[in-house]
Amino acid sequence: MNHEPTLDIAIVGAGFAGLYMLHKAREQGLNAKVFERGDGVGGTWYWNRYPGARCDVESFYYSYSFSPELDQEWNWTERYPTQPEILAYLNHVADRFDLRDDICLGSEIVSARYDDNSTSWNLTSARGDEFTSTFFVMASGNLSAAQIPDFPGLTDFTGETYHTGNWPENDVDFRGKSVAIIGTGSSGIQVIPEIARQAEHVTVLQRTPSFSMPARNTPLTDDEISDVKANYASLRVASRNSAAGAPYPPSTDSAFDVSDEERTARYEQYWSMGGARIMNAFGDLMTSPKANDTVAEFVRGKIAESVADKDRAKILTPEGFALGSKRVCVDTDYYATFNRDNVDIIDVSSAPIERITADGIATAGDRIEVDAIVFATGYDAMTGALLAVDIRGQGGTSLRDQWSDGPKTYLGVAVSGFPNMFIITGPQSPSVLGNVVVSIEQHVEFIADHITFMKDKGYRISHPDFDAQEEWVRHVAEVGETTLFSTGSSWYVGANIPGKPRVFMPYIGGVGNFRAMCDEIAAEGYRGFVFS
Ligand code: N01
């Protein structure tokens, strides 16, 4: 058993959140260590190596803002960054800020227990190493607990299986193979066109069609790069104060303030910009079901134009839920892929997958034989990675038990009864509803300032007041109900995991508003926290 010296701060996860937390903690003079289950830094960008993996937030903004020097040094090459480029960026950050010495790779933390007597956290890794720390930070990500549904016969399959969120490091060769791909969310929509270009045959098994927008990815020109670099300071401020973490001007008018022709013209204009920007075309697209219908109908028309076969187009067309209530997807050639001869699609909503067999998949209506199955079946989002660790707070209270009806936090950053524990972009913070890097930086800075405040005041212990937490959870739910985001059967509400409580987990009040609230709370001596 390896007993490390006591730490000031133990951080779980070496993705965007953990790396910045480490850097910030060191700046505050804290003795910090990051524990990372992977064999490299990068978090989600370390694991998601599937062909076509790319972020759908633009490179210029899906990056740290804390270092103006880093902004000037680093050159993004494409409008939307590929997984290898983001991973290279995060490795550069680890080197540039000399972080590696305090990152323990291949170190999966499996339990974290608060000791009421010593008021410190005891962490244990999967291989039995133990660490003690005054503060404990979960930087484990919102979309990092990959999920393969519990299909009967899963282990009978004799071919290759992959999950997009746990892709092997070496290239997978699908040439000459018949491949089934289950899932048509953001990951499926990116991987399907790539595998279809390589494999002999692809069968897509779709339960719910997604609304997907063309990325219109392009290489960045030198002029674009120098223009953004010259204006980075103001673009970063605009992102921090925006609704969704990117410096795009919001529209405030209603979809019904304009004529039908003007509305369609505006949708065309946003469609041609690419990405999920179309959701900014009017201010009421996520609050008015009727306004939402107009944009959904526009996108349905685009799907009909893109897919030649009418039956396939029908299968691929989403109906019955608001556009955006399941996360909007961004693609390159997704719909056109279904015009290829080597691609089939099976609708498994009415005839579900019944079992995996030794040589393929049996649905209620079909039986297919394949060499490989790709699961693009998503994640136990937002709570999965947190609850994968056996976290025990005051009096041995288990976080899993405490959250059995759904997560409860104060500001998504701390939990009553779990002293000196922080979560970066936890449930009930804006997190996944926008550019998560901006929200990560905000939470990291909040935590670092909070610890400095405690030090200055001579406090040893902090956790949220129970009533303040209840009030915040109520506020998050109330605001959530004012929008269409909470109305879909999505991972936002835990609907993709059988048995998971249905709670709308992120805070939809806006990234900028949330920051202002947190700043105010901090200025009032961290209102809602109890110190001793
Ligand atoms: O996961 P998902 P994802 N039988 O949960 C289907 C981010 N991300 O990995 O919708 C059959 O969205 C499921 O069907 P249904 C982004 O935030 C970003 O694709 O539940 N099918 C769905 O089609 C994203 O939202 C980027 O009916 C089953 C799919 O599997 C989030 O990660 C790229 C099934 C899962 O879709 C998650 O995306 C990738 C079953 N039993 C990811 N169970 C970019 O930035 C599940 N499915 C571009």
Side-chain angles (χ1 to χ4, degrees):
M1 203 145 309
N2 173 21
H3 288 276
E4 291 285 302
T6 300
L7 299 166
D8 294 326
I9 180 164
I11 302 158
V12 175
F16 267 100
L19 293 180
Y20 184 39
M21 190 72 246
L22 173 59
H23 175 64
K24 197 75 195 155
R26 279 190 181 164
E27 276 188 346
Q28 320 271 116
L30 300 172
N31 171 20
K33 279 240 183 291
V34 170
F35 302 97
E36 165 56 56
R37 74 187 155 110
D39 290 329
V41 302
T44 203
W45 301 105
Y46 172 85
W47 298 102
N48 276 263
R49 297 165 186 268
Y50 61 86
R54 187 186 280 284
C55 184
D56 55 16
V57 178
E58 290 177 279
S59 314
F60 287 135
Y61 312 123
Y62 192 79
S63 47
Y64 291 117
S65 71
F66 70 83
S67 165
E69 296 79 19
L70 176 65
D71 272 348
Q72 296 303 318
E73 281 162 22
W74 184 262
N75 285 321
W76 294 106
T77 63
E78 294 181 66
R79 179 177 177 191
Y80 296 98
T82 60
Q83 174 270 332
E85 195 165 14
I86 304 172
L87 190 58
Y89 172 77
L90 290 171
N91 274 286
H92 171 74
V93 168
D95 294 329
R96 165 81 170 70
F97 297 98
D98 203 14
L99 302 177
R100 293 194 194 270
D101 286 353
D102 286 321
I103 301 173
C104 307
L105 297 174
S107 185
E108 180 181 2
I109 297 300
V110 291
S111 82
R113 286 159 191 264
Y114 180 72
D115 182 333
D116 293 287
N117 296 321
S118 66
T119 68
S120 58
W121 283 90
N122 298 325
L123 274 61
T124 310
S125 76
R127 53 171 188 241
D129 293 339
E130 293 184 350
F131 309 90
T132 60
S133 180
T134 307
F135 294 97
F136 161 51
V137 178
M138 285 298 281
S140 48
N142 281 295
L143 293 156
S144 46
Q147 275 300 308
I148 294 184
D150 194 15
F151 295 120
L154 202 52
T155 52
D156 297 346
F157 185 63
T158 53
E160 304 155 36
T161 58
Y162 304 96
H163 188 286
T164 48
N166 195 3
W167 202 264
E169 271 195 53
N170 51 318
D171 281 345
V172 180
D173 188 357
F174 289 113
R175 279 176 304 177
K177 290 184 182 154
S178 173
V179 184
I181 305 176
I182 305 175
T184 51
S186 297
S187 305
I189 274 173
Q190 288 188 325
V191 84
I192 289 164
E194 295 292 327
I195 297 181
R197 273 193 271 274
Q198 207 193 55
E200 171 121 350
H201 192 270
V202 165
T203 307
V204 175
L205 294 101
Q206 174 198 271
R207 188 164 68 182
T208 311
S210 291
F211 286 100
S212 190
M213 320 292 154
R216 305 205 191 285
N217 184 47
T218 52
L220 293 170
T221 64
D222 290 346
D223 284 350
E224 284 170 316
I225 293 172
S226 24
D227 191 36
V228 166
K229 284 191 178 183
N231 294 295
Y232 241 143
S234 60
L235 289 166
R236 294 301 196 185
V237 171
S239 297
R240 280 182 210 130
N241 296 326
S242 67
Y248 311 130
S251 294
T252 47
D253 56 346
S254 160
F256 301 108
D257 286 346
V258 296
S259 68
D260 290 357
E261 293 72 28
E262 283 173 281
R263 188 185 314 120
T264 305
R266 188 160 334 161
Y267 288 147
E268 286 290 357
Q269 181 200 347
Y270 275 82
W271 186 260
S272 65
M273 284 182 206
R277 295 277 301 273
I278 200 165
M279 299 312 291
N280 286 341
F282 294 99
D284 56 353
L285 295 183
M286 285 311 291
T287 50
S288 155
K290 279 181 73 186
N292 191 283
D293 281 347
T294 65
V295 69
E297 203 44 38
F298 175 84
V299 177
R300 287 187 198 109
K302 292 290 181 191
I303 298 171
E305 280 170 23
S306 312
V307 183
D309 181 282
K310 295 255 173 307
D311 293 336
R312 285 187 179 192
K314 190 158 185 281
I315 294 175
L316 286 159
T317 302
E319 301 278 357
F321 59 93
L323 194 166
S325 65
K326 285 167 89 84
R327 190 178 179 280
V328 166
C329 298
V330 174
D331 75 274
T332 299
D333 296 338
Y334 177 63
Y335 293 115
T337 298
F338 293 91
N339 297 330
R340 296 176 67 104
D341 292 337
N342 70 332
V343 176
D344 282 329
I345 183 162
I346 299 178
D347 176 359
V348 294
S349 61
S350 46
I353 296 169
E354 285 189 334
R355 64 180 299 112
I356 308 291
T357 60
D359 57 5
I361 300 175
T363 72
D366 268 294
R367 201 187 156 96
I368 55 165
E369 287 180 16
V370 289
D371 303 306
I373 303 176
V374 171
F375 294 95
T377 44
Y379 299 87
D380 183 354
M382 306 198 69
T383 54
L386 294 171
L387 299 183
V389 179
D390 183 14
I391 299 176
R392 309 261 166 170
Q394 277 175 334
T397 305
S398 148
L399 190 66
R400 287 176 191 154
D401 290 345
Q402 192 142 319
W403 285 7
S404 58
D405 295 330
K408 287 187 173 180
T409 72
Y410 183 47
L411 306 173
V413 78
V415 182
S416 183
F418 292 78
N420 294 358
M421 177 181 99
F422 295 102
I423 304 168
I424 300 175
T425 66
Q428 283 121 17
S429 72
S431 64
V432 293
L433 292 177
N435 175 4
V436 76
V437 183
V438 173
S439 292
I440 284 170
E441 288 192 319
Q442 186 267 333
H443 257 176
V444 167
E445 287 157 18
F446 183 88
I447 294 165
D449 292 346
H450 189 108
I451 292 174
T452 302
F453 171 84
M454 289 175 67
K455 237 168 131 183
D456 292 348
K457 296 272 181 195
Y459 295 134
R460 174 146 178 102
I461 304 166
S462 152
H463 70 127
D465 170 59
F466 181 77
D467 290 338
Q469 176 172 291
E470 289 285 296
E471 184 53 37
W472 179 252
V473 172
R474 214 174 8 251
H475 171 67
V476 171
E478 266 168 27
V479 178
E481 279 165 21
T482 62
T483 77
L484 298 171
F485 281 99
S486 57
T487 60
S489 289
S490 72
W491 57 258
Y492 294 148
V493 297
N496 63 325
I497 304 293
K500 189 165 173 171
R502 280 235 184 177
V503 176
F504 182 64
M505 293 179 281
Y507 179 53
I508 187 61
V511 168
N513 293 340
F514 179 76
R515 174 185 295 271
M517 276 189 259
C518 289
D519 288 350
E520 200 180 294
I521 284 168
E524 291 172 20
Y526 293 91
R527 171 167 43 86
F529 284 87
V530 183
F531 296 96
S532 52

